[in-house]
Amino acid sequence: MSTGRFRVPADVRDWAIAVGVAVALLATGLSGQHSATNLDLLGYALLTAGGLALAARRRAPVPVLTVTGLCAVGYQAAGFDVPAVAYLFAVYAAMRAGHRTITVAASVTMLAALPLAALASLNDTGEAFAQARGALEVAWLIAAGAAGEALRQAERRADEAERTREETARRRADEERLHIARELHDSLTHQISIIKVQSEVAVHVARRRGEQVSEALLAIQEAGREASRELRATLEALRDDDTTPPHGLDHIPELVERAGRAGLEATLTIEGQRHDVPAAVGRTAYRIVQESLTNIARHAAAATASIRIDYRPDALAIRVDDDGKATPDTAPTPGIGLLGMRERVTALGGRLRAEPLSEHGFTVQAELPVDRTS
């Protein structure tokens, strides 16, 4: 959800800070008092490079720490009494990234190297130490490191809190789903079973007596069977907590074989170069074929069905056709099965078509994108 607040990209912010620091260092070097030597150009280059190196501090904090430290030592040796501001930024970034030991070791080395670098341009040892102390105040060094470490700890706690919230929400959803399943089972299963058994017994007794079975009784019998199947499928879906291995593409042949045993002549064709697909894509493909075959068996009055799975470089295509009673002038009724398929496909960013064929029969076509670079 957008908050409506303008956000500057991280790379732009990094470059803005890097350029700002480089300009500040260069301006300080140009305005400061230092002995004019033929190393001036080198000093200005080191001041600029030390600042611009900060643009990569998020991606490579340790190399940036090294570069800014060497630049600070270099322009001190060239006679530029300029604070090591870029190095302080690098210390903050390295500590935030968790490189504590390397940062401490580099900072101790810097505290020892800066006086030696200042001695290269000054004859007075006391003045050299004073210049080095001014270039890198220990208090500022500690503050930069502490700020980076504090922010790192805060980000880690925030990540942990977010992960805990997600786990808690998932656990509560699982508990609620199981509670609903138990309630449905306790309140409906028994009554539907009684209706189903009683209607079947009534039909059986009427036929044994040679009596005509009323259409209403037959409708009750069929409704009982359908309600029992739907309730069983609903309970299975509610109890599915993703702890058991999910069905996927490898299980589709079992669906085809099961449909054949039920009297439907079903064929499976696999095209393209088979490759691994994400588990969510395989699970959705299985559900599409399963729901399509179920609808064919219940509603289509079909004799044959064909399932085609096409492995494409960037997508997985599924097509299920039947030769049932559907015709182009009969609009499909969007039942729970079709709606569920469409929701699964849409959630993966795919496309679904479910419509009658040109002469007779019905087709379900789905295209699921496959990101093979992740």
Side-chain angles (χ1 to χ4, degrees), residues 230-287:
E230 293 290 347
L231 181 59
R232 183 167 57 250
T234 302
L235 292 177
E236 288 176 357
L238 287 171
R239 291 193 176 111
D240 182 12
D241 57 359
D242 292 332
T243 58
T244 57
H247 290 94
L249 290 166
D250 293 337
H251 299 88
I252 290 180
E254 299 176 9
L255 292 175
V256 177
E257 182 181 352
R258 196 181 310 156
R261 290 198 300 266
L264 179 67
E265 184 181 342
T267 58
L268 173 63
T269 303
I270 298 178
E271 301 176 345
Q273 184 66 36
R274 181 159 186 172
H275 53 77
D276 292 336
V277 301
V281 173
R283 188 162 54 244
T284 298
Y286 176 87
R287 293 300 186 191

Short mmCIF file of all heavy atoms in Angstrom, two decimals, residues 230-287:
data_model
loop_
_atom_site.label_atom_id
_atom_site.label_comp_id
_atom_site.label_asym_id
_atom_site.label_seq_id
_atom_site.Cartn_x
_atom_site.Cartn_y
_atom_site.Cartn_z
N GLU A 230 -18.90 -32.38 -1.42
CA GLU A 230 -18.44 -31.01 -1.24
C GLU A 230 -17.94 -30.77 0.18
O GLU A 230 -16.92 -30.11 0.40
CB GLU A 230 -19.57 -30.02 -1.57
CG GLU A 230 -19.97 -29.99 -3.03
CD GLU A 230 -18.89 -29.37 -3.90
OE1 GLU A 230 -17.97 -28.75 -3.36
OE2 GLU A 230 -18.98 -29.51 -5.14
N LEU A 231 -18.66 -31.31 1.16
CA LEU A 231 -18.26 -31.12 2.54
C LEU A 231 -16.93 -31.82 2.81
O LEU A 231 -16.05 -31.28 3.50
CB LEU A 231 -19.34 -31.66 3.49
CG LEU A 231 -19.05 -31.51 4.99
CD1 LEU A 231 -18.86 -30.04 5.35
CD2 LEU A 231 -20.17 -32.12 5.81
N ARG A 232 -16.75 -33.02 2.25
CA ARG A 232 -15.49 -33.73 2.45
C ARG A 232 -14.33 -32.95 1.83
O ARG A 232 -13.25 -32.83 2.43
CB ARG A 232 -15.58 -35.12 1.84
CG ARG A 232 -14.33 -35.97 2.08
CD ARG A 232 -14.58 -37.43 1.75
NE ARG A 232 -15.04 -37.61 0.38
CZ ARG A 232 -16.27 -37.97 0.04
NH1 ARG A 232 -17.18 -38.17 0.97
NH2 ARG A 232 -16.60 -38.13 -1.23
N ALA A 233 -14.54 -32.40 0.63
CA ALA A 233 -13.48 -31.61 -0.01
C ALA A 233 -13.17 -30.35 0.79
O ALA A 233 -12.01 -29.95 0.93
CB ALA A 233 -13.90 -31.24 -1.43
N THR A 234 -14.23 -29.72 1.32
CA THR A 234 -14.02 -28.51 2.12
C THR A 234 -13.23 -28.81 3.38
O THR A 234 -12.32 -28.07 3.75
CB THR A 234 -15.37 -27.87 2.48
OG1 THR A 234 -16.08 -27.57 1.28
CG2 THR A 234 -15.17 -26.60 3.29
N LEU A 235 -13.57 -29.90 4.05
CA LEU A 235 -12.86 -30.27 5.27
C LEU A 235 -11.41 -30.61 4.98
O LEU A 235 -10.51 -30.26 5.75
CB LEU A 235 -13.55 -31.46 5.95
CG LEU A 235 -14.95 -31.17 6.54
CD1 LEU A 235 -15.55 -32.44 7.11
CD2 LEU A 235 -14.85 -30.10 7.62
N GLU A 236 -11.15 -31.27 3.86
CA GLU A 236 -9.77 -31.58 3.50
C GLU A 236 -8.97 -30.31 3.25
O GLU A 236 -7.81 -30.18 3.65
CB GLU A 236 -9.74 -32.47 2.25
CG GLU A 236 -10.21 -33.90 2.52
CD GLU A 236 -10.27 -34.72 1.24
OE1 GLU A 236 -10.00 -34.13 0.17
OE2 GLU A 236 -10.58 -35.92 1.32
N ALA A 237 -9.60 -29.34 2.58
CA ALA A 237 -8.91 -28.08 2.31
C ALA A 237 -8.64 -27.31 3.59
O ALA A 237 -7.57 -26.71 3.77
CB ALA A 237 -9.74 -27.21 1.36
N LEU A 238 -9.59 -27.32 4.51
CA LEU A 238 -9.41 -26.62 5.77
C LEU A 238 -8.34 -27.26 6.64
O LEU A 238 -7.59 -26.58 7.35
CB LEU A 238 -10.73 -26.56 6.55
CG LEU A 238 -11.79 -25.60 6.01
CD1 LEU A 238 -13.11 -25.82 6.73
CD2 LEU A 238 -11.33 -24.17 6.18
N ARG A 239 -8.24 -28.58 6.58
CA ARG A 239 -7.25 -29.29 7.41
C ARG A 239 -5.87 -29.29 6.77
O ARG A 239 -4.90 -29.68 7.41
CB ARG A 239 -7.70 -30.73 7.64
CG ARG A 239 -8.93 -30.85 8.55
CD ARG A 239 -9.13 -32.28 8.98
NE ARG A 239 -10.23 -32.39 9.92
CZ ARG A 239 -11.39 -32.98 9.65
NH1 ARG A 239 -11.59 -33.50 8.45
NH2 ARG A 239 -12.34 -33.03 10.55
N ASP A 240 -5.77 -28.85 5.52
CA ASP A 240 -4.47 -28.82 4.85
C ASP A 240 -3.65 -27.68 5.41
O ASP A 240 -3.87 -26.51 5.10
CB ASP A 240 -4.67 -28.62 3.34
CG ASP A 240 -3.36 -28.64 2.60
OD1 ASP A 240 -2.35 -29.02 3.22
OD2 ASP A 240 -3.35 -28.27 1.41
N ASP A 241 -2.66 -27.99 6.26
CA ASP A 241 -1.84 -26.97 6.90
C ASP A 241 -0.45 -26.86 6.29
O ASP A 241 0.48 -26.32 6.88
CB ASP A 241 -1.69 -27.24 8.41
CG ASP A 241 -1.10 -28.62 8.68
OD1 ASP A 241 -0.82 -29.35 7.71
OD2 ASP A 241 -0.90 -28.95 9.86
N ASP A 242 -0.28 -27.44 5.06
CA ASP A 242 0.99 -27.37 4.34
C ASP A 242 2.12 -28.08 5.06
O ASP A 242 3.29 -27.83 4.79
CB ASP A 242 1.40 -25.90 4.10
CG ASP A 242 0.46 -25.23 3.12
OD1 ASP A 242 -0.12 -25.93 2.28
OD2 ASP A 242 0.30 -24.00 3.23
N THR A 243 1.82 -28.97 6.02
CA THR A 243 2.87 -29.73 6.68
C THR A 243 3.15 -31.03 5.95
O THR A 243 4.21 -31.62 6.13
CB THR A 243 2.49 -30.02 8.14
OG1 THR A 243 1.25 -30.76 8.16
CG2 THR A 243 2.30 -28.72 8.92
N THR A 244 2.21 -31.48 5.16
CA THR A 244 2.43 -32.69 4.37
C THR A 244 2.92 -32.28 2.98
O THR A 244 2.62 -31.20 2.50
CB THR A 244 1.12 -33.49 4.23
OG1 THR A 244 0.13 -32.64 3.65
CG2 THR A 244 0.64 -33.95 5.60
N PRO A 245 3.69 -33.17 2.34
CA PRO A 245 4.18 -32.82 0.99
C PRO A 245 3.02 -32.52 0.05
O PRO A 245 2.10 -33.32 -0.09
CB PRO A 245 4.94 -34.09 0.57
CG PRO A 245 5.29 -34.77 1.85
CD PRO A 245 4.17 -34.46 2.79
N PRO A 246 3.00 -31.37 -0.60
CA PRO A 246 1.86 -31.00 -1.45
C PRO A 246 1.86 -31.79 -2.75
O PRO A 246 2.90 -32.26 -3.22
CB PRO A 246 2.10 -29.51 -1.72
CG PRO A 246 3.59 -29.36 -1.61
CD PRO A 246 4.04 -30.33 -0.56
N HIS A 247 0.67 -31.95 -3.33
CA HIS A 247 0.57 -32.56 -4.64
C HIS A 247 1.08 -31.58 -5.69
O HIS A 247 0.92 -30.38 -5.56
CB HIS A 247 -0.88 -32.94 -4.94
CG HIS A 247 -1.38 -34.08 -4.11
ND1 HIS A 247 -2.05 -33.90 -2.93
CD2 HIS A 247 -1.27 -35.42 -4.29
CE1 HIS A 247 -2.36 -35.09 -2.41
NE2 HIS A 247 -1.89 -36.02 -3.22
N GLY A 248 1.71 -32.13 -6.73
CA GLY A 248 2.26 -31.29 -7.78
C GLY A 248 2.16 -31.97 -9.12
O GLY A 248 1.32 -32.86 -9.35
N LEU A 249 3.02 -31.57 -10.03
CA LEU A 249 2.99 -32.09 -11.40
C LEU A 249 3.21 -33.61 -11.44
O LEU A 249 2.63 -34.29 -12.30
CB LEU A 249 4.04 -31.38 -12.24
CG LEU A 249 3.77 -29.90 -12.55
CD1 LEU A 249 5.00 -29.22 -13.09
CD2 LEU A 249 2.62 -29.78 -13.54
N ASP A 250 4.03 -34.13 -10.55
CA ASP A 250 4.31 -35.57 -10.56
C ASP A 250 3.09 -36.41 -10.21
O ASP A 250 3.08 -37.62 -10.47
CB ASP A 250 5.45 -35.89 -9.59
CG ASP A 250 6.77 -35.30 -10.05
OD1 ASP A 250 6.91 -35.06 -11.27
OD2 ASP A 250 7.66 -35.07 -9.21
N HIS A 251 2.08 -35.80 -9.59
CA HIS A 251 0.89 -36.54 -9.16
C HIS A 251 -0.25 -36.47 -10.18
O HIS A 251 -1.29 -37.10 -9.98
CB HIS A 251 0.39 -36.00 -7.81
CG HIS A 251 1.40 -36.14 -6.70
ND1 HIS A 251 2.34 -35.19 -6.45
CD2 HIS A 251 1.60 -37.14 -5.80
CE1 HIS A 251 3.08 -35.56 -5.43
NE2 HIS A 251 2.67 -36.74 -5.01
N ILE A 252 -0.07 -35.69 -11.25
CA ILE A 252 -1.14 -35.58 -12.24
C ILE A 252 -1.44 -36.91 -12.93
O ILE A 252 -2.62 -37.22 -13.18
CB ILE A 252 -0.80 -34.47 -13.26
CG1 ILE A 252 -0.90 -33.10 -12.56
CG2 ILE A 252 -1.73 -34.51 -14.47
CD1 ILE A 252 -0.57 -31.93 -13.45
N PRO A 253 -0.44 -37.75 -13.26
CA PRO A 253 -0.78 -39.06 -13.84
C PRO A 253 -1.72 -39.88 -12.97
O PRO A 253 -2.55 -40.64 -13.48
CB PRO A 253 0.58 -39.73 -14.01
CG PRO A 253 1.54 -38.59 -14.20
CD PRO A 253 1.01 -37.51 -13.30
N GLU A 254 -1.61 -39.74 -11.65
CA GLU A 254 -2.53 -40.45 -10.76
C GLU A 254 -3.96 -39.96 -10.96
O GLU A 254 -4.91 -40.77 -10.92
CB GLU A 254 -2.11 -40.25 -9.30
CG GLU A 254 -0.71 -40.79 -8.98
CD GLU A 254 -0.31 -40.48 -7.56
OE1 GLU A 254 -1.18 -39.99 -6.79
OE2 GLU A 254 0.86 -40.71 -7.21
N LEU A 255 -4.13 -38.65 -11.17
CA LEU A 255 -5.48 -38.13 -11.42
C LEU A 255 -6.05 -38.71 -12.71
O LEU A 255 -7.24 -39.08 -12.77
CB LEU A 255 -5.43 -36.60 -11.53
CG LEU A 255 -5.10 -35.81 -10.26
CD1 LEU A 255 -4.97 -34.32 -10.60
CD2 LEU A 255 -6.17 -36.02 -9.21
N VAL A 256 -5.22 -38.78 -13.74
CA VAL A 256 -5.68 -39.31 -15.02
C VAL A 256 -6.05 -40.79 -14.88
O VAL A 256 -7.08 -41.25 -15.40
CB VAL A 256 -4.59 -39.13 -16.09
CG1 VAL A 256 -5.01 -39.75 -17.41
CG2 VAL A 256 -4.27 -37.64 -16.28
N GLU A 257 -5.24 -41.53 -14.15
CA GLU A 257 -5.53 -42.96 -13.95
C GLU A 257 -6.82 -43.14 -13.15
O GLU A 257 -7.65 -44.01 -13.45
CB GLU A 257 -4.36 -43.62 -13.23
CG GLU A 257 -4.52 -45.10 -12.99
CD GLU A 257 -3.35 -45.69 -12.25
OE1 GLU A 257 -2.35 -44.99 -12.04
OE2 GLU A 257 -3.44 -46.88 -11.86
N ARG A 258 -7.01 -42.31 -12.15
CA ARG A 258 -8.22 -42.39 -11.34
C ARG A 258 -9.46 -42.06 -12.17
O ARG A 258 -10.51 -42.70 -12.03
CB ARG A 258 -8.10 -41.43 -10.15
CG ARG A 258 -9.10 -41.69 -9.03
CD ARG A 258 -8.91 -40.66 -7.93
NE ARG A 258 -7.51 -40.58 -7.55
CZ ARG A 258 -6.96 -39.51 -6.99
NH1 ARG A 258 -7.69 -38.42 -6.79
NH2 ARG A 258 -5.69 -39.51 -6.64
N ALA A 259 -9.33 -41.06 -13.06
CA ALA A 259 -10.46 -40.72 -13.93
C ALA A 259 -10.78 -41.88 -14.86
O ALA A 259 -11.95 -42.15 -15.16
CB ALA A 259 -10.12 -39.46 -14.73
N GLY A 260 -9.75 -42.60 -15.34
CA GLY A 260 -9.99 -43.76 -16.20
C GLY A 260 -10.72 -44.86 -15.48
O GLY A 260 -11.62 -45.51 -16.06
N ARG A 261 -10.38 -45.08 -14.21
CA ARG A 261 -11.09 -46.11 -13.45
C ARG A 261 -12.54 -45.74 -13.22
O ARG A 261 -13.40 -46.61 -13.04
CB ARG A 261 -10.39 -46.33 -12.10
CG ARG A 261 -9.03 -47.01 -12.22
CD ARG A 261 -8.60 -47.59 -10.89
NE ARG A 261 -8.49 -46.57 -9.86
CZ ARG A 261 -7.37 -45.93 -9.54
NH1 ARG A 261 -6.25 -46.20 -10.22
NH2 ARG A 261 -7.34 -45.01 -8.61
N ALA A 262 -12.83 -44.43 -13.21
CA ALA A 262 -14.21 -43.97 -13.02
C ALA A 262 -15.02 -44.00 -14.30
O ALA A 262 -16.19 -43.63 -14.29
CB ALA A 262 -14.21 -42.57 -12.43
N GLY A 263 -14.39 -44.41 -15.43
CA GLY A 263 -15.14 -44.54 -16.67
C GLY A 263 -14.88 -43.45 -17.68
O GLY A 263 -15.48 -43.47 -18.77
N LEU A 264 -14.02 -42.50 -17.37
CA LEU A 264 -13.71 -41.42 -18.31
C LEU A 264 -12.41 -41.76 -19.05
O LEU A 264 -11.39 -42.03 -18.42
CB LEU A 264 -13.56 -40.09 -17.56
CG LEU A 264 -13.21 -38.87 -18.40
CD1 LEU A 264 -14.36 -38.50 -19.32
CD2 LEU A 264 -12.87 -37.68 -17.49
N GLU A 265 -12.46 -41.73 -20.36
CA GLU A 265 -11.26 -42.01 -21.15
C GLU A 265 -10.41 -40.74 -21.19
O GLU A 265 -10.65 -39.84 -21.99
CB GLU A 265 -11.65 -42.45 -22.56
CG GLU A 265 -10.46 -42.85 -23.41
CD GLU A 265 -10.85 -43.26 -24.82
OE1 GLU A 265 -12.06 -43.55 -25.02
OE2 GLU A 265 -9.98 -43.27 -25.69
N ALA A 266 -9.40 -40.68 -20.33
CA ALA A 266 -8.58 -39.48 -20.20
C ALA A 266 -7.16 -39.77 -20.69
O ALA A 266 -6.61 -40.83 -20.42
CB ALA A 266 -8.53 -39.01 -18.74
N THR A 267 -6.59 -38.81 -21.41
CA THR A 267 -5.23 -38.93 -21.92
C THR A 267 -4.40 -37.75 -21.44
O THR A 267 -4.90 -36.63 -21.31
CB THR A 267 -5.21 -38.97 -23.46
OG1 THR A 267 -5.81 -37.77 -23.97
CG2 THR A 267 -5.95 -40.18 -23.98
N LEU A 268 -3.13 -38.01 -21.18
CA LEU A 268 -2.21 -36.98 -20.70
C LEU A 268 -1.08 -36.83 -21.72
O LEU A 268 -0.42 -37.81 -22.08
CB LEU A 268 -1.64 -37.35 -19.33
CG LEU A 268 -0.55 -36.44 -18.77
CD1 LEU A 268 -1.07 -35.03 -18.56
CD2 LEU A 268 0.01 -37.02 -17.47
N THR A 269 -0.83 -35.59 -22.15
CA THR A 269 0.24 -35.29 -23.09
C THR A 269 1.13 -34.22 -22.47
O THR A 269 0.64 -33.18 -22.01
CB THR A 269 -0.31 -34.78 -24.43
OG1 THR A 269 -1.21 -35.75 -24.97
CG2 THR A 269 0.81 -34.53 -25.42
N ILE A 270 2.43 -34.48 -22.47
CA ILE A 270 3.41 -33.52 -21.93
C ILE A 270 4.29 -33.06 -23.07
O ILE A 270 4.90 -33.86 -23.78
CB ILE A 270 4.25 -34.15 -20.80
CG1 ILE A 270 3.33 -34.55 -19.64
CG2 ILE A 270 5.32 -33.17 -20.33
CD1 ILE A 270 4.06 -35.23 -18.50
N GLU A 271 4.37 -31.75 -23.26
CA GLU A 271 5.14 -31.15 -24.35
C GLU A 271 6.22 -30.25 -23.79
O GLU A 271 6.15 -29.79 -22.65
CB GLU A 271 4.21 -30.36 -25.28
CG GLU A 271 3.10 -31.19 -25.90
CD GLU A 271 2.16 -30.34 -26.73
OE1 GLU A 271 2.20 -29.10 -26.58
OE2 GLU A 271 1.39 -30.91 -27.52
N GLY A 272 7.23 -29.99 -24.63
CA GLY A 272 8.31 -29.09 -24.22
C GLY A 272 9.38 -29.79 -23.40
O GLY A 272 9.24 -30.96 -23.02
N GLN A 273 10.45 -29.06 -23.12
CA GLN A 273 11.56 -29.58 -22.32
C GLN A 273 11.22 -29.42 -20.85
O GLN A 273 11.10 -28.32 -20.35
CB GLN A 273 12.85 -28.81 -22.65
CG GLN A 273 14.09 -29.34 -21.95
CD GLN A 273 14.47 -30.74 -22.40
OE1 GLN A 273 14.32 -31.08 -23.57
NE2 GLN A 273 14.94 -31.56 -21.48
N ARG A 274 11.09 -30.55 -20.17
CA ARG A 274 10.67 -30.49 -18.76
C ARG A 274 11.76 -29.85 -17.91
O ARG A 274 12.95 -30.16 -18.06
CB ARG A 274 10.34 -31.89 -18.25
CG ARG A 274 9.88 -31.88 -16.80
CD ARG A 274 9.10 -33.11 -16.45
NE ARG A 274 8.54 -33.01 -15.11
CZ ARG A 274 7.68 -33.87 -14.59
NH1 ARG A 274 7.28 -34.90 -15.32
NH2 ARG A 274 7.22 -33.71 -13.38
N HIS A 275 11.35 -28.96 -17.02
CA HIS A 275 12.29 -28.31 -16.10
C HIS A 275 11.59 -28.09 -14.77
O HIS A 275 10.36 -28.21 -14.66
CB HIS A 275 12.79 -26.98 -16.68
CG HIS A 275 11.67 -26.05 -17.09
ND1 HIS A 275 10.94 -25.31 -16.19
CD2 HIS A 275 11.17 -25.74 -18.33
CE1 HIS A 275 10.05 -24.58 -16.84
NE2 HIS A 275 10.16 -24.82 -18.14
N ASP A 276 12.38 -27.79 -13.76
CA ASP A 276 11.82 -27.57 -12.43
C ASP A 276 10.98 -26.29 -12.42
O ASP A 276 11.35 -25.28 -13.04
CB ASP A 276 12.93 -27.45 -11.39
CG ASP A 276 13.66 -28.77 -11.17
OD1 ASP A 276 13.05 -29.81 -11.45
OD2 ASP A 276 14.84 -28.74 -10.76
N VAL A 277 9.87 -26.35 -11.71
CA VAL A 277 9.01 -25.18 -11.54
C VAL A 277 8.81 -24.95 -10.05
O VAL A 277 8.96 -25.88 -9.24
CB VAL A 277 7.64 -25.37 -12.23
CG1 VAL A 277 7.83 -25.61 -13.72
CG2 VAL A 277 6.87 -26.52 -11.61
N PRO A 278 8.49 -23.73 -9.63
CA PRO A 278 8.23 -23.48 -8.21
C PRO A 278 7.11 -24.37 -7.68
O PRO A 278 6.20 -24.77 -8.42
CB PRO A 278 7.83 -22.00 -8.18
CG PRO A 278 8.47 -21.41 -9.40
CD PRO A 278 8.44 -22.50 -10.43
N ALA A 279 7.19 -24.68 -6.40
CA ALA A 279 6.20 -25.57 -5.79
C ALA A 279 4.79 -25.02 -5.93
O ALA A 279 3.83 -25.77 -6.16
CB ALA A 279 6.54 -25.78 -4.31
N ALA A 280 4.64 -23.69 -5.82
CA ALA A 280 3.31 -23.09 -5.92
C ALA A 280 2.72 -23.30 -7.32
O ALA A 280 1.52 -23.53 -7.48
CB ALA A 280 3.37 -21.60 -5.59
N VAL A 281 3.57 -23.24 -8.35
CA VAL A 281 3.10 -23.45 -9.72
C VAL A 281 2.68 -24.90 -9.91
O VAL A 281 1.61 -25.20 -10.48
CB VAL A 281 4.19 -23.06 -10.73
CG1 VAL A 281 3.79 -23.44 -12.14
CG2 VAL A 281 4.47 -21.56 -10.64
N GLY A 282 3.50 -25.84 -9.43
CA GLY A 282 3.15 -27.25 -9.55
C GLY A 282 1.87 -27.59 -8.80
O GLY A 282 1.03 -28.36 -9.28
N ARG A 283 1.72 -27.00 -7.61
CA ARG A 283 0.51 -27.27 -6.82
C ARG A 283 -0.73 -26.72 -7.52
O ARG A 283 -1.78 -27.37 -7.55
CB ARG A 283 0.68 -26.64 -5.44
CG ARG A 283 -0.42 -26.99 -4.45
CD ARG A 283 0.03 -26.72 -3.04
NE ARG A 283 0.50 -25.36 -2.85
CZ ARG A 283 1.74 -25.04 -2.53
NH1 ARG A 283 2.64 -25.97 -2.39
NH2 ARG A 283 2.09 -23.77 -2.36
N THR A 284 -0.61 -25.53 -8.10
CA THR A 284 -1.75 -24.94 -8.81
C THR A 284 -2.10 -25.75 -10.05
O THR A 284 -3.28 -25.95 -10.36
CB THR A 284 -1.42 -23.48 -9.19
OG1 THR A 284 -1.20 -22.73 -7.99
CG2 THR A 284 -2.55 -22.86 -9.98
N ALA A 285 -1.09 -26.22 -10.79
CA ALA A 285 -1.35 -27.05 -11.97
C ALA A 285 -2.11 -28.32 -11.58
O ALA A 285 -3.06 -28.74 -12.26
CB ALA A 285 -0.04 -27.40 -12.66
N TYR A 286 -1.71 -28.92 -10.48
CA TYR A 286 -2.40 -30.13 -10.01
C TYR A 286 -3.86 -29.83 -9.68
O TYR A 286 -4.77 -30.58 -10.06
CB TYR A 286 -1.68 -30.69 -8.78
CG TYR A 286 -2.37 -31.88 -8.14
CD1 TYR A 286 -2.11 -33.16 -8.58
CD2 TYR A 286 -3.28 -31.70 -7.10
CE1 TYR A 286 -2.74 -34.25 -8.00
CE2 TYR A 286 -3.92 -32.77 -6.52
CZ TYR A 286 -3.64 -34.05 -6.97
OH TYR A 286 -4.28 -35.13 -6.41
N ARG A 287 -4.09 -28.72 -8.98
CA ARG A 287 -5.46 -28.37 -8.59
C ARG A 287 -6.33 -28.07 -9.81
O ARG A 287 -7.52 -28.39 -9.84
CB ARG A 287 -5.44 -27.16 -7.65
CG ARG A 287 -4.80 -27.44 -6.30
CD ARG A 287 -5.51 -28.52 -5.55
NE ARG A 287 -4.98 -28.69 -4.20
CZ ARG A 287 -5.27 -29.70 -3.39
NH1 ARG A 287 -6.10 -30.65 -3.83
NH2 ARG A 287 -4.74 -29.79 -2.19
#
